[in-house]
Amino acid sequence: QVQLVESGGGLVQPGGSLRLSCAASGNIFAIYSWGWYRQAPGRQRELVASVTDDGIDNYSDSVKGRFTISRRNAKNTVYLRMNSLKPDDTAVYYCTADLLQYNPASRGNYWGQGTQVTVSS
């Protein structure tokens, strides 16, 4: 059974930094792409950043230049480095993975449980 677990959220002052991690475990054959989403109270969930298996990354305009997504294939892990954080970045952050699992073989998109990021003085 595939599981994604995020960590690294917390409370940070405006202008500060955090690094989120997301580790995938289970019967994973390959991970094709990763994504980080966030959802603030009263707002729709939005895609913040994504990265493909060949390292092509994309960012929403609201975080471009401040956030960096990276992946460590050997450990089935993805990171989101967040710098120059603003109160508007406050949200629950979720990671997703488009992956192929084996036994049985199937491909699907999986989500983590989310980690809270609060930017406040």
Side-chain angles (χ1 to χ4, degrees):
Q1 191 168 354
V2 172
Q3 203 172 18
L4 271 61
V5 178
E6 300 103 333
S7 60
L11 173 64
V12 63
Q13 292 188 339
S17 298
L18 281 175
R19 189 180 80 155
L20 306 182
S21 301
C22 176
S25 61
N27 295 344
I28 298 170
F29 182 76
I31 299 178
Y32 299 108
S33 66
W34 294 91
W36 283 100
Y37 284 75
R38 67 184 180 187
Q39 187 166 22
R43 293 186 178 181
Q44 286 190 329
R45 191 172 294 189
E46 63 169 339
L47 177 62
V48 172
S50 63
V51 63
T52 63
D53 57 353
D54 52 1
I56 298 174
D57 54 14
N58 274 292
Y59 301 91
S60 68
D61 288 342
S62 61
V63 307
K64 201 171 292 184
R66 299 188 298 122
F67 291 11
T68 303
I69 188 171
S70 59
R71 59 188 292 169
R72 193 168 180 181
N73 293 337
K75 291 199 170 187
N76 286 340
T77 301
V78 68
Y79 306 96
L80 185 67
R81 177 68 179 180
M82 305 185 294
N83 295 328
S84 303
L85 283 161
K86 307 173 183 179
D88 277 351
D89 295 317
T90 296
V92 178
Y93 284 71
Y94 300 89
C95 73
T96 70
D98 174 14
L99 60 86
L100 177 67
Q101 66 171 343
Y102 60 89
N103 197 28
S106 69
R107 181 171 178 173
N109 201 52
Y110 293 80
W111 289 78
Q113 82 289 348
T115 185
Q116 176 70 46
V117 171
T118 302
V119 184
S120 175
S121 55

